[in-house]
Amino acid sequence: MIFFTDEESRTLRTAVYGAMLLVSHADPGPVLEERFAGLRALSHLSPDLRLVMGAARPSVPAGTDEEVEPVVLEALRSSMKILTTRSPEDARSFPAAVLTIAREVAEADGVVVDAEDAMLARIEGALAL
């Protein structure tokens, strides 16, 4: 089991839950279905990361979408740095898991629109080292 500091854990939660939020806000739709799709999709994370996600309330920044997006994208980049140092195995699986989670949120209403695709691409870019 890998132990992350409180700050590292908060960054990881901001990255994962923030990615779900960004995709959900890219095309306002059935919020409840999107939330449940995202929570179900957390199963794509490693057991250690699922523990981090469940250890505290979701960490998502407040503000407008324009204010939140750069904070979440930076949390995604920082998460990759944290994982590369602390858990190389998670660093390899984290990008695909986060993209799967975000994609499942986008697909929750049965249609993925251009705005959601564009947000998925920005999330993917932030996950690339």
Side-chain angles (χ1 to χ4, degrees):
M1 171 171 243
I2 298 161
F3 292 97
F4 296 97
T5 66
D6 288 345
E7 185 177 336
E8 290 169 337
S9 295
R10 197 169 25 263
T11 298
L12 290 163
R13 283 191 297 276
T14 298
V16 173
Y17 291 119
M20 290 191 285
L21 179 75
L22 291 178
V23 172
S24 179
H25 285 197
D27 177 43
V31 175
L32 201 55
E33 286 90 345
E34 291 174 342
R35 182 175 297 142
F36 285 131
L39 293 175
R40 279 191 309 271
L42 290 177
S43 65
H44 293 283
L45 294 170
S46 72
D48 285 340
L49 291 178
R50 285 196 304 271
L51 283 174
V52 170
M53 293 304 119
R57 297 189 58 131
S59 299
V60 291
T64 66
D65 291 344
E66 293 76 23
E67 294 166 335
V68 170
E69 182 178 338
V71 174
V72 171
L73 295 179
E74 181 54 35
L76 288 163
R77 287 188 285 275
S78 295
S79 293
M80 288 305 299
K81 291 174 188 166
I82 291 166
L83 294 173
T84 297
T85 302
R86 309 270 271 122
S87 177
E89 184 178 318
D90 281 323
R92 286 188 292 279
S93 64
F94 187 72
V98 171
L99 285 170
T100 298
I101 292 166
R103 216 171 267 117
E104 290 191 22
V105 170
E107 294 170 352
D109 64 354
V111 178
V112 178
V113 299
D114 290 344
E116 290 168 318
D117 272 336
M119 183 55 68
L120 289 166
R122 289 197 292 281
I123 290 168
E124 185 173 20
L127 290 165
L129 282 178

